[in-house]
Amino acid sequence: MKMTQIKLSCRSAMHVALLVGALALSGCVTIPASIKGTSPNPAENLASVRNAPEMYIGQEGRFGGKVISVFNEPEKTRLEIAVMPLNKYDAAPELNTVSEGRLYAYVNSFLEPTDFTGKYVTVVGTITGEKAGKIGEIPYNYITLAVTGLQRWNVMQRVMFPPVGPLGYGYYDYPPYYSHFYDPQQPWNWEPGYGYPVGSAAVETYLAQ
């Protein structure tokens, strides 16, 4: 009886440890200090700002997306950004999402165009109104932002390994075969084991600092 209790206790401890580790990994990503800003809830919905820009003048906004163009002025640089939704973990632009519109972000320093054109950024700053411009030959009113913080993101890739079978479902510690198994018939029993991958590995593209 004591051996059974010890075995169950070890398995339970391992299960808890794995769950805590997963929660720690999911919670350790935070918004970079460069784009935290000063407001607890900066405006992030560009559509709302475009619908009533006069109501947002002077408020803090945080937006991100892909840099379409970089224009250097005598004392500042204008970034034209195709704005995308931000993820809730680190405020990076959500890849493979539809643009919400365009933004002119003014940075009070010189930025090398080749370092930013075509890159993904998140900016935070004060909403200053709107400015008339064009996208191609189509007139367009850009929301303008006086930037106080900027984060440029790097495009990264990682391999997502498939589930492991036939003993259950699992994830890899390292390829190709060592894994942790979850037996759906015994949900409390999550332990190391051996198996083989089911399906094909996928490559995920994401943004990182």
Side-chain angles (χ1 to χ4, degrees):
M1 177 66 70
K2 290 183 178 180
M3 291 299 294
T4 301
Q5 290 175 341
I6 291 173
K7 185 176 181 181
L8 288 175
S9 178
C10 290
R11 288 177 176 176
S12 299
M14 183 179 290
H15 192 191
V16 171
L18 289 169
L19 288 175
V20 170
L23 289 173
L25 287 173
S26 65
C28 68
V29 180
T30 57
I31 297 175
S34 59
I35 53 173
K36 275 190 175 181
T38 58
S39 170
N41 295 297
E44 293 185 348
N45 189 318
L46 185 66
S48 297
V49 179
R50 291 195 68 219
N51 286 336
E54 66 283 352
M55 294 181 59
Y56 288 88
I57 292 175
Q59 294 188 33
E60 189 170 57
R62 181 165 54 222
F63 306 98
K66 190 172 186 178
V67 177
I68 304 302
S69 68
V70 179
F71 182 75
N72 294 113
E73 300 182 2
E75 297 182 353
K76 55 188 174 182
T77 300
R78 186 188 74 194
L79 301 178
E80 179 184 0
I81 302 171
V83 175
M84 304 160 68
L86 303 179
N87 72 47
K88 61 182 179 180
Y89 301 108
D90 58 2
E94 289 279 10
L95 294 177
N96 302 317
T97 56
V98 177
S99 172
E100 298 178 338
R102 300 283 180 96
L103 171 78
Y104 277 158
Y106 290 90
V107 182
N108 289 325
S109 62
F110 172 83
L111 299 180
E112 171 56 53
T114 58
D115 291 339
F116 286 88
T117 305
K119 308 296 184 180
Y120 292 94
V121 300
T122 300
V123 292
V124 65
T126 303
I127 298 169
T128 56
E130 57 183 345
K131 181 178 177 63
K134 285 186 176 182
I135 299 179
E137 295 299 320
I138 305 300
Y140 187 86
N141 288 329
Y142 290 80
I143 295 300
T144 56
L145 186 81
V147 174
T148 56
L150 181 151
Q151 175 68 47
R152 188 181 67 170
W153 303 95
N154 297 309
V155 179
M156 310 288 285
Q157 288 187 324
R158 58 189 168 202
V159 177
M160 305 297 290
F161 290 100
V164 176
L167 301 180
Y169 307 100
Y171 65 88
Y172 283 100
D173 274 333
Y174 54 85
Y177 299 120
Y178 187 70
S179 61
H180 290 279
F181 291 108
Y182 170 72
D183 185 346
Q185 302 302 319
Q186 302 180 68
W188 62 87
N189 181 16
W190 187 292
E191 60 183 18
Y194 285 85
Y196 55 85
V198 177
S200 302
V203 177
E204 179 186 31
T205 302
Y206 65 102
L207 298 177
Q209 296 184 49

